[in-house]
Amino acid sequence: MSVTGGAGPPPGGILDLLVVGAGPTGLAIGAEAMRAGLSVLLVERGGLCESIRGYPTEMVFFTTRERLEIAGIPFAIPEAKPVRRQALAYYREVARTWRIPLALHEAVEGVERLAEGFRILGRRRGRQHERYARAVALATGYFGRPLRLEVPGEELPWVHQRFCEPYGHFADRVVVIGGGNSAAEAALELHRWGAEVTLVHRGPELKPGVKYWLKPDIENRIAEGSIRALFGHRVRSFGPHGVEVEGPLGNERLAAEAAYVLIGYLPELELAEACGVTIDPRTLEPRIDPETCESDVPGLYVAGTLQAGRATDRIFIENSRDHGPRIVGHLLARRESLDGRHV
């Protein structure tokens, strides 16, 4: 276990707050808890800001730097829109400045509601860790559950659910499936690195939410024939000879050395569901109090994009930065209320 910074409880003690996830939302909660003098620990199955680390290497954030700031730490760069590397450095400094206690590379396997608080089971390098906390905040986001097509051959080694960089695909034939930001960025980067790119999307055109500086770029590349686009097409299977697609005029086989399925993500709600949080079966939104972020399980909070259910494009860093103050403020108010009863 790697716990850094801060003064957590002694072995066997109980934390005021355990946060599952060490991305921007988790860090914002952790910093607010440290500011309030609460004992807190962030548990993350990967490294710090693992989700951002998995973004495309050259990705530029849609949001401007000041709207990505958390915990009162300025995002001091000259560019208006940060790139992935700058964001990783910034959030590392937030963790370092606030000395937020971290348990990295530890997967949370279970959260159990007790009479007073929670029992949290984690595992790191085969060793299980048992922790106790008065409250738990889930800030796991959605990046760990990419949507799948559920078609034959999707498990083949040349079929990928994430795109990081184009550098291994010079002169390759690459099929990109999707019509949103991820697909558009991947298609453009692959094309400019010298790949022969075919974009496959079931819709009649690119999604309207594609970044405003990407949309005309990729539309122009499609119009000039540099990138082939098959709109209104679905993937039927992946096989030894490439990708089988179905469109208005029938089936077509696309020869390919690689394929990227970039069709979105689902929220990671398993822990919330296992704890008894009510999940809307249609939207996958957990039932929470929007003022406090507390779920319908007392003491269990849901923060960040996880609140949005299927609509993963509705909540971002910029409009969830106040989840930390809401959660910690509610915890402090509850503590004062309990202390008053005991006077």
Side-chain angles (χ1 to χ4, degrees), residues 287-300:
R287 183 177 294 171
I288 62 163
D289 179 343
E291 296 302 316
T292 66
C293 300
E294 188 178 38
S295 72
D296 54 357
V297 175
L300 185 68

Side-chain angles (χ1 to χ4, degrees), residues 33-58:
M34 296 293 285
R35 191 201 309 267
L38 301 179
S39 58
V40 64
L41 177 68
L42 274 58
V43 182
E44 166 63 55
R45 68 185 169 201
L48 187 71
C49 291
E50 183 71 14
S51 59
I52 295 178
R53 195 184 66 80
Y55 287 173
T57 306
E58 307 296 334

Side-chain angles (χ1 to χ4, degrees), residues 18 22 33 39-40 54 72 79 102 113 123 135-136 173 192 199 227 240 249 265 274 278 305-306 308 316 327 336:
L18 185 140
S39 58
V40 64
E79 295 83 4
L102 303 168
R113 185 76 171 94
R123 185 176 297 276
V136 170
R173 296 163 295 185
R192 294 204 163 97
L199 181 71
I227 293 174
L249 300 180
Y265 299 86
T278 302
T305 309
L306 204 60
F316 306 96
I327 291 169
E336 290 175 5

Side-chain angles (χ1 to χ4, degrees), residues 149 163 172-191 195-207 210 214-215 217-223 225-235 238 243 245-248 252 254-256 258-263:
L149 295 169
F163 173 80
D172 282 351
R173 296 163 295 185
V174 184
V175 176
V176 177
I177 299 101
N181 275 312
S182 297
E185 285 185 298
L188 286 168
E189 286 197 39
L190 287 160
H191 158 65
E196 180 185 317
V197 181
T198 300
L199 181 71
V200 177
H201 180 44
R202 65 182 182 180
E205 59 186 6
L206 292 169
K207 294 181 179 179
V210 173
L214 288 178
K215 201 164 189 291
D217 190 357
I218 191 166
E219 286 177 339
N220 287 335
R221 303 295 75 75
I222 291 170
S226 299
I227 293 174
R228 185 187 182 198
L230 297 177
F231 293 117
H233 284 66
R234 294 176 179 270
V235 174
F238 300 93
V243 185
V245 299
E246 179 182 17
E252 181 179 353
L254 307 174
Y260 287 90
V261 181
L262 306 175
I263 57 175

Side-chain angles (χ1 to χ4, degrees), residues 4-214:
T4 60
I14 183 167
L15 291 156
D16 291 317
L17 177 64
L18 185 140
V19 182
V20 185
T25 299
L27 288 170
I29 299 169
E32 192 66 28
M34 296 293 285
R35 191 201 309 267
L38 301 179
S39 58
V40 64
L41 177 68
L42 274 58
V43 182
E44 166 63 55
R45 68 185 169 201
L48 187 71
C49 291
E50 183 71 14
S51 59
I52 295 178
R53 195 184 66 80
Y55 287 173
T57 306
E58 307 296 334
M59 194 203 82
V60 179
F61 278 79
F62 185 85
T63 306
T64 54
R65 62 181 183 271
E66 68 274 7
R67 298 180 69 83
L68 295 173
E69 291 177 356
I70 60 172
I73 308 296
F75 201 146
I77 58 170
E79 295 83 4
K81 297 178 185 295
V83 297
R84 166 184 170 272
R85 184 168 177 266
Q86 291 170 324
L88 287 170
Y90 168 74
Y91 292 117
R92 177 199 64 198
E93 290 310 301
V94 171
R96 180 179 290 169
T97 300
W98 281 101
R99 297 182 59 81
I100 300 172
L102 303 168
L104 301 176
H105 308 289
E106 179 176 322
V108 173
E109 297 182 333
V111 178
E112 179 186 357
R113 185 76 171 94
L114 304 176
E116 292 187 10
F118 297 86
R119 174 173 175 259
I120 302 97
L121 295 177
R123 185 176 297 276
R124 183 176 187 267
R125 294 181 179 174
R127 181 181 174 187
Q128 191 172 73
H129 298 276
E130 186 176 88
R131 309 182 193 281
Y132 293 86
R134 295 181 178 87
V136 170
L138 302 179
T140 52
Y142 61 85
F143 201 62
R145 288 191 62 191
L147 283 168
R148 301 176 61 82
L149 295 169
E150 304 298 342
V151 299
E154 200 167 4
E155 300 295 337
L156 290 170
W158 54 272
V159 181
H160 312 280
Q161 272 69 44
R162 287 185 186 170
F163 173 80
C164 287
E165 56 188 28
Y167 305 126
H169 292 303
F170 174 72
D172 282 351
R173 296 163 295 185
V174 184
V175 176
V176 177
I177 299 101
N181 275 312
S182 297
E185 285 185 298
L188 286 168
E189 286 197 39
L190 287 160
H191 158 65
R192 294 204 163 97
W193 191 250
E196 180 185 317
V197 181
T198 300
L199 181 71
V200 177
H201 180 44
R202 65 182 182 180
E205 59 186 6
L206 292 169
K207 294 181 179 179
V210 173
K211 296 172 183 176
Y212 66 84
W213 65 87
L214 288 178

